[in-house]
Amino acid sequence: MVTVYSGWWVDGEERGVENQWQAHPMQRKAGEPLVIEEVFVAPRQPHEVRIRIICTSLCHSDITFWKLKEPPAIYPRIFGHKALGYMSMYMLQVLMFRHSCDATLTLNDISITHKIVESVGENVDEVAEGDVVLPTFLPDCGECTDCSSMKSNLCTKFPFKVSPYMPRYLESRFTDLNGEALHHFLFVSSFSQYTVVDVACIVKIDPVIPPNRACLLSCGVSTGFDAAWRTANVEPGSTVVIFWVRCNWPGEGARACGASRIIRVDLNPDKLELGNGGDGTERVECQVPSITIEEDMHEERSTDGDANTINEESPAKTKASWSELPKELLSKIANLLDLIDLLSFRGVCNEWRKASSIASAEIQIHRRPIPLWSKISCIKSRLASHLQARFNFLPVPLLAKIDKPDFPSQEVDYHAAAFLAPPTSPDCMEGERALCSVFTAMEAKESSKTQGKPIRCKAAVCRQAGDPLVIEEVIVAPPRPREVRIRVICTSLCHSDITFWKLQVPPGICPRILGHEAIGIVESVGENVDEVAEGDVVLPTFLPDCGECTDCKSKKSNLCSQFPFQVSPCMLRYQESRFTDLNGEVLHHFLFVSSFSQYTVVDIANITKVDPAIPPNRACLLSCGVSTGVGAAWKKASVEPGSTVAIFGLGAIGLAVAEGARLCGATRIIGVDINPGKFELGKKFGVTDFVNSARCGDKSVSQVIKEMTDGGADYCFECVGMASLVDEAFACCRKGWGKTVVLGVDKPGSMLSLSSFEVLHSGKSLMGSLFGGLKAKTDIPVLLKRYMDKELQLDEFVTHEVKFEEINEAFNLLLEGKSLRCVIWMDK
């Protein structure tokens, strides 16, 4: 084997004949030294270019496939690939310009005396004989949808594959002197003095670029640099962490993007000095004796949610649980920075798998009680409401007091008449203001009797997992500092309540008061509460929004780092309950809300003040489900106008996704469900096509959708909570730019199984979405306004309404699939 890392110079005299008879390093058997022998290089076919190699560089991918003994390994083969990692052709030229003009780089002037393009086939206009070119393993035809788009670098006309042939003709251009075919590698085979490459894999470059530098850009350097530049979109002033330092190109890319802090982590202290060229890099040596890293294998990686983007580095497998390693690493990194802005692993794209890994390796992603979306993680591969409701529903304060015997009847008559006036009339608006003033004062007067004291009220308690809820009297303690006690007006039943109601193992716990979609009135507040006051109408939400931490201040995350989301049985700050039964037994909280109680205590970080004119049985829907679906399309996926969307599961969440996609301007919304009746319902929310997953015959759902959309949907949403559906959603997502968003909650311990090869080479994104990426305090008011402006549909989600005493009937309706959202009135 000829071991050359950068700049392997090939000598020889050019021959302008049909077949080139030259000496070439060739592999006859896996793992054995390459054999330099003479071979024939056939003339180019149409759309092909025969080139003379000046120099080539050795990539770890060559090593990986050199070792392989199983497909896609094949012998005999000529290795070498002048390959571009995750950049389209024009980006390569931009990068080369930046490279050649960088004053910090010292490059030797090397005159190129050899012509690169030896000859061209028919229909080749991009290059001519004598042009200097870089062959790349990733085709760029310039004609297909993907190559014409700025969102993808994966050619759909010539999909990437580890093929032993030419991309158009499925045949080889190499034979040995005995006439035996010699297989190609990655459409390039640069370990040959001459090679034939398709014009889709050719980039014409400036001949003044030193060849022993230019060749580096055809794979590894471009891959690492671009992981920071194009894939992660590193922002100026950000912090980057690079795990496993094979070279410093991600650091170089981060530096060029303006990152202010670059941290490199490796088990080998010698590697920490690699590429130390004044890029501001800090180095962390992490030695974990109990964990052994085995090259060329892959295992799950987990993070603690500090990173916005996760880019995997070189494949590795730990004998111990991989989750132990990041804890060790992050504990050390925590001493260097307050918060990791970007956790950037150098790309898997330039680390090829063994054949067994390519064929069968799976990325195992644990789906905890709140799965992928609880981490807002993103696995990104790199290769290379309307106003008429006012006539139907009285405002929240009126509903709260209408049955009170001491309610002033004359004021009821006056304000009710004003409320039935035309919605834009002065009488109506004045009536609303008067109502709010009257009832806020009354609420404050009543709360003064209970402020600072325990309240005895009714709650629906889950005593045993799966058993009907028991309505009983409970004691609700007064709020502590930074807490708010609210009177619940109405609450709606979410499928998450059903999931945890059934759960018999942690984080399931009994006795517990479930419920987390609600609206209420502030009864009293604890110390240091300035955002709301007694009598205010509020929505409690399960996701904290403290407004103080780095994440809550950032537009890039809705996950509070001061109060990380968890399925806790306690209050947010104090790890204790505010509920007890009449025997003094502690009753556990649920998702920081517990709205299946007439009164509840919620942390101020989980409270959003809303307009009291919003009908309560509509506003409560935005506490969780509808916001989650609409937000997933609006905020998390950023659905673009004219795009195609596929939604797996047309329950309330899935229909909310459809509503969000409709508002974003999607032109095609495909609903997938086993219930054909959901299609007619879905049409109300913008669903244009329907796939019955139970009637796809021999085809998978993903195959059907790919055929419907000519390659896959731009955005896919999994809204059921089944690992297999996540796999299908990811499979039917369009290569190059497709996004798959996970919203469904699966049972604890469920895992995803994704082909590592597919993740690596598809260019797709898989991400989780907690609460749709919304920030409750700022985004919920926006959605409520859109409802009042008749843009956002909420009325259609409410299919049933019941009294508090009928709460178990609400459970039955949802379990039987008869309900989207059932509103439960606490005092109706």
Side-chain angles (χ1 to χ4, degrees):
M1 175 182 176
V2 180
T3 305
V4 286
Y5 187 71
S6 63
W8 173 23
W9 292 91
V10 180
D11 295 323
E13 180 181 352
E14 179 182 353
R15 301 180 182 179
V17 296
E18 248 188 16
N19 293 300
Q20 303 298 329
W21 189 14
Q22 298 289 341
H24 304 270
M26 181 196 317
Q27 186 180 15
R28 289 289 181 176
K29 292 184 179 180
E32 293 187 355
L34 304 189
V35 179
I36 296 180
E37 57 183 75
E38 291 184 327
V39 302
F40 284 104
V41 183
R44 63 285 171 280
Q45 293 288 320
H47 299 287
E48 294 181 348
V49 177
R50 188 163 62 186
I51 65 177
R52 178 174 182 176
I53 303 296
I54 299 300
C55 63
T56 183
S57 56
L58 183 64
C59 176
H60 201 276
S61 302
D62 299 307
I63 299 293
T64 299
F65 280 88
W66 168 69
K67 295 178 180 178
L68 289 186
K69 298 180 180 180
E70 302 170 0
I74 190 170
Y75 302 99
R77 182 175 233 166
I78 298 176
F79 281 103
H81 62 289
K82 308 292 289 183
L84 177 64
Y86 188 68
M87 306 177 69
S88 62
M89 304 306 183
Y90 84 95
M91 293 178 192
L92 178 63
Q93 296 170 357
V94 171
L95 184 55
M96 299 191 77
F97 174 79
R98 182 186 294 211
H99 179 82
S100 63
C101 296
D102 194 337
T104 64
L105 296 176
T106 302
L107 299 176
N108 297 322
D109 292 329
I110 302 175
S111 61
I112 300 178
T113 59
H114 303 286
K115 295 179 180 180
I116 296 291
V117 175
E118 179 268 339
S119 60
V120 300
E122 297 176 8
N123 304 320
V124 174
D125 303 319
E126 298 179 24
V127 296
E129 297 177 9
D131 284 342
V132 179
V133 296
L134 276 183
T136 65
F137 72 88
L138 199 61
D140 183 358
C141 73
E143 301 169 356
C144 69
T145 302
D146 290 78
C147 290
S148 301
S149 170
M150 297 289 290
K151 298 185 291 184
S152 172
N153 73 330
L154 297 182
C155 180
T156 48
K157 186 176 182 180
F158 303 112
F160 170 76
K161 51 188 174 183
V162 186
S163 169
Y165 306 114
M166 297 296 294
R168 297 178 196 256
Y169 300 100
L170 297 181
E171 57 190 21
S172 175
R173 299 287 173 262
F174 297 109
T175 55
D176 64 12
L177 299 189
N178 296 320
E180 181 182 8
L182 307 175
H183 301 290
H184 291 250
F185 180 58
L186 295 179
F187 303 140
V188 176
S189 293
S190 61
F191 292 176
S192 170
Q193 289 177 316
Y194 285 84
T195 189
V196 178
V197 182
D198 193 281
V199 71
C201 299
I202 288 291
V203 182
K204 181 179 177 180
I205 66 171
D206 190 335
V208 304
I209 305 293
N212 58 344
R213 299 299 185 267
C215 67
L216 303 180
L217 292 176
S218 51
C219 180
V221 174
S222 296
T223 297
F225 192 101
D226 179 64
W229 174 30
R230 301 296 300 187
T231 303
N233 295 317
V234 172
E235 297 178 349
S238 59
T239 299
V240 173
V241 181
I242 304 170
F243 282 73
W244 314 134
V245 183
R246 192 174 297 277
C247 70
N248 196 40
W249 295 116
E252 179 67 13
R255 180 195 64 80
C257 291
S260 59
R261 206 168 192 187
I262 303 170
I263 301 173
R264 294 186 285 139
V265 183
D266 204 285
L267 297 171
N268 184 351
D270 295 335
K271 285 189 177 181
L272 297 178
E273 298 300 324
L274 183 63
N276 186 11
D279 60 359
T281 301
E282 299 177 47
R283 293 170 292 279
V284 180
E285 178 184 351
C286 182
Q287 297 181 356
V288 188
S290 63
I291 295 181
T292 302
I293 307 298
E294 297 178 346
E295 188 178 358
D296 296 329
M297 296 295 286
H298 182 77
E299 180 68 17
E300 169 199 2
R301 288 163 171 79
S302 69
T303 71
D304 292 332
D306 289 330
N308 297 339
T309 304
I310 299 175
N311 295 325
E312 299 173 288
E313 216 275 353
S314 56
K317 180 179 181 179
T318 60
K319 289 184 178 179
S321 172
W322 183 263
S323 61
E324 298 173 24
L325 185 55
K327 293 178 181 178
E328 297 285 346
L329 297 178
L330 294 177
S331 65
K332 293 194 175 188
I333 296 171
N335 295 326
L336 293 176
L337 68 163
D338 297 328
L339 183 68
I340 298 176
D341 296 314
L342 182 65
L343 181 59
S344 180
F345 291 74
R346 206 174 138 256
V348 178
C349 49
N350 63 342
E351 298 297 335
W352 298 87
R353 304 287 202 272
K354 287 185 177 179
S356 59
S357 298
I358 293 175
S360 61
E362 296 176 342
I363 296 179
Q364 302 290 337
I365 303 169
H366 285 284
R367 290 168 59 88
R368 309 184 191 284
I370 305 299
L372 280 177
W373 43 264
S374 70
K375 297 291 185 183
I376 309 297
S377 61
C378 174
I379 300 174
K380 192 168 186 179
S381 68
R382 295 156 306 286
L383 186 63
S385 89
H386 48 72
L387 210 56
Q388 289 180 339
R390 295 175 181 234
F391 297 103
N392 301 320
F393 305 103
L394 296 176
V396 174
L398 183 56
L399 288 166
K401 300 299 180 182
I402 197 71
D403 293 328
K404 292 285 182 180
D406 56 345
F407 189 86
S409 60
Q410 68 276 14
E411 294 187 56
V412 172
D413 294 337
Y414 167 76
H415 293 301
F419 209 70
L420 292 175
T424 57
S425 70
D427 285 344
C428 178
M429 299 175 69
E430 181 61 30
E432 288 184 35
R433 286 192 289 268
L435 276 170
C436 293
S437 176
V438 168
F439 292 118
T440 298
M442 293 186 65
E443 187 71 39
K445 180 178 180 181
E446 179 177 317
S447 65
S448 64
K449 301 176 183 179
T450 57
Q451 188 173 17
K453 303 175 183 178
I455 288 180
R456 182 168 171 170
C457 67
K458 292 181 180 180
V461 182
C462 177
R463 288 287 179 179
Q464 295 289 335
D467 284 357
L469 304 189
V470 180
I471 296 181
E472 56 185 83
E473 290 190 326
V474 301
I475 306 298
V476 184
R480 294 192 60 179
R482 306 292 295 169
E483 293 179 351
V484 178
R485 187 163 61 185
I486 66 176
R487 178 179 179 181
V488 178
I489 301 305
C490 61
T491 182
S492 52
L493 182 62
C494 175
H495 203 277
S496 298
D497 298 308
I498 298 288
T499 299
F500 284 90
W501 167 68
K502 295 178 179 178
L503 206 55
Q504 299 181 9
V505 295
I509 189 172
C510 295
R512 181 177 233 165
I513 298 177
L514 298 169
H516 62 287
E517 287 188 355
I519 188 170
I521 300 175
V522 175
E523 176 270 337
S524 60
V525 300
E527 298 176 8
N528 305 319
V529 174
D530 303 317
E531 295 181 31
V532 298
E534 298 166 11
D536 283 345
V537 179
V538 296
L539 280 183
T541 58
F542 69 91
L543 195 64
D545 185 359
C546 73
E548 301 170 354
C549 69
T550 302
D551 288 80
C552 289
K553 290 179 179 179
S554 171
K555 295 180 180 180
K556 296 185 286 186
S557 171
N558 70 333
L559 293 183
C560 179
S561 51
Q562 182 178 3
F563 304 112
F565 172 75
Q566 52 187 317
V567 186
S568 170
C570 307
M571 291 298 295
L572 186 66
R573 299 174 196 259
Y574 300 101
Q575 300 303 306
E576 57 191 23
S577 176
R578 298 287 172 263
F579 297 108
T580 54
D581 65 12
L582 298 187
N583 296 319
E585 182 182 7
V586 170
L587 304 174
H588 301 290
H589 290 251
F590 179 58
L591 294 180
F592 306 132
V593 177
S594 292
S595 60
F596 292 172
S597 172
Q598 291 175 316
Y599 286 85
T600 188
V601 178
V602 183
D603 193 280
I604 187 61
N606 297 81
I607 289 291
T608 299
K609 183 179 177 180
V610 300
D611 186 342
I614 308 293
N617 56 349
R618 299 300 183 262
C620 66
L621 305 182
L622 295 179
S623 280
C624 178
V626 174
S627 292
T628 296
V630 172
W634 168 36
K635 287 283 189 174
K636 176 55 59 175
S638 300
V639 170
E640 297 179 343
S643 58
T644 300
V645 173
I647 304 169
F648 287 74
L650 293 182
I653 301 295
L655 293 173
V657 171
E659 177 68 5
R662 181 189 66 81
L663 291 174
C664 290
T667 55
R668 196 172 188 186
I669 303 174
I670 304 170
V672 182
D673 206 292
I674 60 174
N675 183 354
K678 293 287 185 74
F679 186 29
E680 290 302 317
L681 180 61
K683 289 180 180 179
K684 299 179 182 179
F685 300 95
V687 175
T688 59
D689 300 84
F690 181 76
V691 175
N692 188 334
S693 55
R695 297 184 178 181
C696 291
D698 297 333
K699 297 181 180 179
S700 64
V701 174
S702 58
Q703 288 177 306
V704 172
I705 293 179
K706 283 182 179 179
E707 293 175 0
M708 293 173 62
T709 58
D710 190 26
D714 301 306
Y715 307 92
C716 295
F717 299 84
E718 195 283 325
C719 306
V720 177
M722 292 177 60
S724 60
L725 286 185
V726 177
D727 296 340
E728 280 293 293
F730 187 76
C732 75
C733 207
R734 185 178 184 84
K735 288 187 176 182
W737 65 70
K739 293 181 181 180
T740 300
V741 183
V742 181
L743 294 89
V745 183
D746 207 346
K747 58 186 178 182
S750 296
M751 294 184 294
L752 299 181
S753 297
L754 300 175
S755 163
S756 60
F757 187 87
E758 174 71 7
V759 171
L760 174 61
H761 299 100
S762 66
K764 306 175 186 180
S765 297
L766 173 63
M767 60 186 69
S769 177
L770 184 62
F771 199 49
L774 301 183
K775 292 180 179 291
K777 296 180 188 292
T778 56
D779 292 328
I780 285 180
V782 173
L783 293 179
L784 286 172
K785 183 179 184 305
R786 298 196 73 171
Y787 168 69
M788 298 300 284
D789 290 342
K790 301 182 181 181
E791 297 176 6
L792 173 66
Q793 300 182 95
L794 291 180
D795 300 347
E796 290 77 2
F797 284 98
V798 179
T799 56
H800 298 80
E801 298 189 16
V802 299
K803 299 178 181 179
F804 185 38
E805 292 77 11
E806 301 169 334
I807 190 170
N808 287 309
E809 178 61 22
F811 273 67
N812 292 334
L813 289 169
L814 191 56
L815 288 168
E816 294 169 2
K818 298 178 180 179
S819 170
L820 284 180
R821 276 297 183 265
C822 181
V823 174
I824 302 160
W825 292 93
M826 307 305 288
D827 291 313
K828 192 171 181 179

